[in-house]
Amino acid sequence: MAVTLEKDLICKDFLSKQPKKLLIGGKWVDAESGKTFETRNPATDEVLVKVAEGGKADIDKAVKAARKAFEEGPWRKMSAAERARLLFKLADLLEKNAEEFAQLETLDNGKPIKESRYVDLPQAIETFRYYAGWVTKLEGETLNVNSNFFNYTLREPVGVVGQIIPWNFPLLMAAWKLGPALACGNTLILKPAEQTPLTAIRLGELICEAGFPEGVVNIVTGFGPDSAGQALAEHMDVDKIAFTGEDKTGRKIVEYSGGNLKRVSLELGGKAPNIVFADADMDAAVKGAIMGIFFNQGQVCCAGSRLFLEKGIHDEFLTKLEERAKGLRQGPGLDEKTQIGPQVSKEQQERILNYVNIAKGEGAHLVCGGESPTGDLAKGYFVKPTIFKGVKNEMRIAQEEVFGPLLSVIPFTSMEEVAEQANKVNFGLSGAVWTNNIKKAHKFASHIKAGTIWVNCFNAFDPAVPFGGYKMSGYGRELGKHSIELYTQIKSVWVNLAD
Ligand code: ADP
């Protein structure tokens, strides 16, 4: 193993067996091409493990396996209670192995171990349990029609589903995709992000251990364009594609899906307004602003990257914000004390530092950060928590998704001004408002064009609550009963009762 792990990690066993393979039709297999790629530890730039590089041929095999499992296998014949039990069992296995998963997630993605352990893992487990609960509650309707007929609807699975996920919450995004798709009786092919394939592969092992029939879940690791991702989105025998990632990629997914007009759901980027009024609880809002932008190193599609501060509190708020940002402990994710880890890849690190230059060129003022740390951390993909003040909403750093720990602070003087600027952006995934005035809070909740609004909080999530975007942030809503809509289709049945 190329990596030096100074700690006695539970995930060592998993990492020692390589190359990691593809899960197709219930078997772990090499890529048809025999190719592999490396996944790296973002804290050190060391190779963690080699992983099979799936391509078009592997996707084709996986789709065939999923189709067979859907049309012929035991999966469709199982009772709802049996399917629910499998999902509950998977959640239990994940819980039993939670520490190993937390370590793998931190090693592969870079995020602080405390976040993997106390956010990603519990939420992934709860997502599987939540959807396990849905399996036995899915139902159709009977409809009041002309008395010569009896009409009822059947809620049926969509069929073979392709799911392409990003690297920022690798396991959690897998849970958001797999949980509802399996609850509704689909079979699927999951394509994890090439930067972070490890927890999905380990999840595949638990799926086999739980006893899901072969071919129900197929996992093909590999790249996006001209590779596994594109092949999956283009495949003529895939009935639906669910995608989470960049808006640019989302547009391509829509194009690829045109061949067989497969159903598409997209969760894309964001540029959330985080609005603080002078009457807000300042300390709570400062904490919320810090968490809103620096959680997960800013690699969050709903990050509060545009902080609107009312003029009266602007300077005091900014002083507190700067102090907190500078006080965040940056380090390798495995260090228990780390509050902010490295970015996921060198490419992302460079992209963020490039935005720092863009911001300076546009006339924004750097308050703190704006560079990578030196010393021990220099070999990882770190970027210091960065704040720009004097940002104008039209600037590129206020309009484009940076996907990093870079906050744009924009001052405002009136409700009208901030109301207009908050919506002057192409994205609409989330937004937040901090105020002690209940009328203002509700007015803004209704005014902001975004799929999620937080009032006096940020980043609150629950598997029961829908998540998704307005405008260029995507189509459809995930989580809650809304994912059930994404993964089922309705059939109406007419029965002639006329004599
Ligand atoms: P990022 O640029 O932040 O990595 P992407 O949208 O490129 O975000 O990646 C999210 C997921 O989409 C990953 O699993 C990636 O492999 C996949 N992907 C990227 N480009 C394509 C593409 N052209 N077709 C299909 N999948 C893609």
Side-chain angles (χ1 to χ4, degrees), residues 164-165 167 191-194 224-225 229-230 243 245-246 249 253 256:
I164 302 177
I165 55 171
W167 44 258
K191 210 294 280 170
E194 58 272 27
Q230 181 169 346
F243 171 78
E246 262 194 86
T249 317
I253 299 287
Y256 303 151

Side-chain angles (χ1 to χ4, degrees), residues 25 49 118 154 157 167 180 184 197 200 211 229 282 325 346 370 471 497:
V49 80
Y118 302 119
L154 295 172
W167 44 258
C184 296
M282 190 182 291
K346 191 150 203 63
K471 301 196 271 185
L497 300 181

Side-chain angles (χ1 to χ4, degrees), residues 406-467:
L406 191 158
L407 180 65
S408 297
V409 179
I410 308 172
F412 71 91
T413 42
S414 69
M415 286 237 318
E416 293 68 33
E417 182 191 358
V418 72
E420 191 202 334
Q421 295 204 347
N423 282 336
K424 256 199 180 161
V425 69
N426 288 328
F427 296 107
L429 193 59
S430 63
V433 52
W434 299 81
T435 175
N436 277 333
N437 180 325
I438 196 167
K439 288 189 193 171
K440 236 191 251 177
H442 286 292
K443 275 190 184 154
F444 269 80
S446 130
H447 172 78
I448 297 171
K449 294 195 169 93
T452 295
I453 306 294
W454 289 295
V455 177
N456 295 332
C457 58
F458 210 98
N459 280 341
F461 276 94
D462 191 286
V465 178
F467 185 77

Side-chain angles (χ1 to χ4, degrees), residues 234-355:
E234 283 178 341
H235 205 288
M236 294 296 280
D237 200 29
V238 169
D239 299 306
K240 173 189 163 61
I241 194 95
F243 171 78
T244 301
E246 262 194 86
D247 56 297
K248 274 195 298 209
T249 317
R251 231 174 255 124
K252 289 191 188 145
I253 299 287
V254 173
E255 281 169 31
Y256 303 151
S257 67
N260 67 338
L261 291 171
K262 57 176 70 64
R263 278 141 195 75
V264 180
S265 52
L266 303 172
E267 198 261 273
L268 308 175
K271 198 74 200 177
N274 192 7
I275 303 167
V276 186
F277 287 102
D279 60 24
D281 173 340
M282 190 182 291
D283 289 336
V286 169
K287 275 192 213 156
I290 290 283
M291 197 254 279
I293 187 64
F294 298 128
F295 174 62
N296 207 31
Q297 295 67 244
Q299 303 165 142
V300 184
C301 42
C302 54
S305 48
R306 290 185 297 151
L307 180 65
F308 289 94
L309 294 182
E310 194 163 5
K311 276 257 168 75
I313 53 160
H314 179 275
D315 293 356
E316 189 188 346
F317 197 100
L318 202 57
T319 307
K320 290 188 175 204
L321 201 66
E322 179 184 354
E323 196 184 319
R324 272 190 173 262
K326 284 182 174 164
L328 289 173
R329 278 189 66 121
Q330 190 155 36
L334 281 184
D335 184 338
E336 302 272 340
K337 294 194 206 80
T338 290
Q339 293 173 304
I340 183 158
Q343 308 310 128
V344 75
S345 63
K346 191 150 203 63
E347 190 188 344
Q348 288 301 316
Q349 180 193 31
E350 284 167 1
R351 181 187 145 98
I352 297 158
L353 294 175
N354 186 41
Y355 269 107

